[in-house]
């Protein structure tokens, strides 16, 4: 049973470009969460999605950031017009449908570097 | 604001010694989890303790939870060089995990 998959693992973008980060949850998981980790800090919640629905995006910056989890395919975190401050590790996690208090399984992360 | 706060920020011990780190949090929780992160890598889930549990063991790990003090501790016994990593506590409330800034543990051979 494959774990949470994220790609790319490393992404380099120049200021002003767009970054697309992908996350495939574990098989059978329909809850997806995105977290951001700035250097030397812990992870911060960004957004919680279920299939075709954004449940909570309270941790997302108001501009340039968006997330989706379509009926088919991976969840996408999209950052438009990236700036240097967006450089961070972005982690995706998934959990089973049954109970949201269950363990969240984390992917290996995408490390975004903005030059 | 950050929910979990780890203490100490950094810890250096000799191989074979025990390592203890603490976590404090501010609001009610569903459960508390500890994760390990090796430098520049992903998160490894270590142990989950539910709000109605007081102590839990897993191999060389022992976790305690005191909901009245809103605190938890992680004990790693008989440490090994491979235990060198950052350790994070994370509290779950509803569906959100809130992480502290972590404790960096260095185990010297």
């Amino acid at each position: 049973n494959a774990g949470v998959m994220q790609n790319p693992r490393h992404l380099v973008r120049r200021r002003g470009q767009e970054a697309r980060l992908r996350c495939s949850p574990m098989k059978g998981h329909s809850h997806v969460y995105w977290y951001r980790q700035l250097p030397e800090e812990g992870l911060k919640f960004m957004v919680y999605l279920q299939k075709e629905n954004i449940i909570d995006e309270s941790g997302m910056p108001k501009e340039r950031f968006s997330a989706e989890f379509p009926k088919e395919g991976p969840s996408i975190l999209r950052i438009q017009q990236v700036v240097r401050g967006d450089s961070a590790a972005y982690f995706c996690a998934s959990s089973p449908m049954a109970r949201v208090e269950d363990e969240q399984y984390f992917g290996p992360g995408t490390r975004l570097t903005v030059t | 604001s950050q929910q979990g706060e780890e203490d100490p920020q950094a810890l250096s011990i000799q191989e074979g010694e025990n390592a203890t780190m603490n976590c404090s949090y501010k609001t009610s929780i569903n459960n508390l989890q500890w994760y390990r992160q090796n430098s520049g890598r992903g998160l490894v889930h270590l142990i989950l303790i539910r709000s109605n549990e007081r102590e839990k063991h897993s191999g060389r790990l022992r976790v305690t939870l005191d909901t009245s003090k809103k605190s938890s501790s992680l004990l790693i016994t008989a440490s090994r060089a491979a235990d060198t990593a950052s350790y994070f506590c994370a509290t779950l409330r509803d569906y959100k995990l809130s992480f502290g800034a972590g404790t960096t543990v260095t185990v010297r051979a």
Side-chain angles (χ1 to χ4, degrees):
Chain A
N1 188 8
V4 178
M5 312 279 283
Q6 287 188 252
N7 69 80
R9 296 290 303 277
H10 300 273
L11 183 61
V12 179
R13 284 286 178 267
R14 281 197 285 271
R15 277 180 299 170
Q17 291 185 318
E18 178 179 286
R20 278 183 182 245
L21 288 63
R22 294 174 185 77
C23 168
S24 296
M26 285 182 71
K27 189 176 181 181
H29 288 193
S30 60
H31 298 220
V32 166
Y33 317 81
W34 286 93
Y35 293 84
R36 178 167 66 174
Q37 184 180 30
L38 295 170
E40 308 300 323
E41 293 188 13
L43 280 71
K44 300 282 197 302
F45 169 82
M46 297 181 76
V47 62
Y48 163 38
L49 310 107
Q50 293 180 20
K51 287 278 188 184
E52 299 183 281
N53 281 306
I54 298 174
I55 307 302
D56 182 344
E57 56 182 347
S58 59
M60 292 274 272
K62 295 289 182 247
E63 297 175 347
R64 302 187 296 107
F65 284 71
S66 62
E68 62 177 8
F69 188 17
K71 188 177 180 182
E72 301 290 338
S75 175
I76 307 285
L77 179 67
R78 183 181 177 210
I79 311 172
Q80 294 178 289
Q81 299 174 325
V82 295
V83 300
R84 288 226 172 98
D86 297 332
S87 294
Y90 292 83
F91 290 93
C92 165
S94 72
S95 68
M97 186 169 55
R99 297 178 303 179
V100 293
E101 66 174 29
D102 283 344
E103 178 185 340
Q104 293 180 16
Y105 295 80
F106 280 82
T110 292
R111 275 154 186 82
L112 172 65
T113 302
V114 179
T115 61
Chain B
S1 63
Q2 228 156 244
Q3 169 77 311
E5 296 285 345
E6 289 94 343
D7 170 61
Q9 287 186 325
L11 186 59
S12 179
I13 54 174
Q14 201 73 31
E15 203 167 24
E17 292 181 336
N18 295 342
T20 300
M21 58 210 88
N22 304 295
C23 169
S24 59
Y25 57 94
K26 295 174 184 166
T27 63
S28 61
I29 59 173
N30 298 112
N31 62 52
L32 186 144
Q33 304 177 38
W34 285 91
Y35 289 84
R36 185 182 74 220
Q37 184 179 39
N38 292 85
S39 179
R41 309 288 288 275
L43 290 167
V44 174
H45 185 265
L46 295 176
I47 197 163
L48 180 155
I49 186 165
R50 300 192 187 277
S51 59
N52 60 354
E53 296 176 310
R54 292 296 167 258
E55 187 171 313
K56 204 159 183 180
H57 297 255
S58 176
R60 293 184 296 113
L61 304 179
R62 174 178 168 251
V63 168
T64 63
L65 179 65
D66 187 335
T67 53
S68 66
K69 295 180 179 177
K70 292 187 169 56
S71 68
S72 173
S73 68
L74 171 68
L75 168 68
I76 306 172
T77 60
S79 63
R80 305 166 183 170
D83 294 328
T84 294
S86 292
Y87 292 81
F88 296 90
C89 72
T91 52
L92 182 77
R93 191 176 182 200
D94 298 328
Y95 43 76
K96 288 182 191 176
L97 279 173
S98 296
F99 288 79
T103 294
T104 301
V105 175
T106 303
V107 181
R108 305 186 305 274

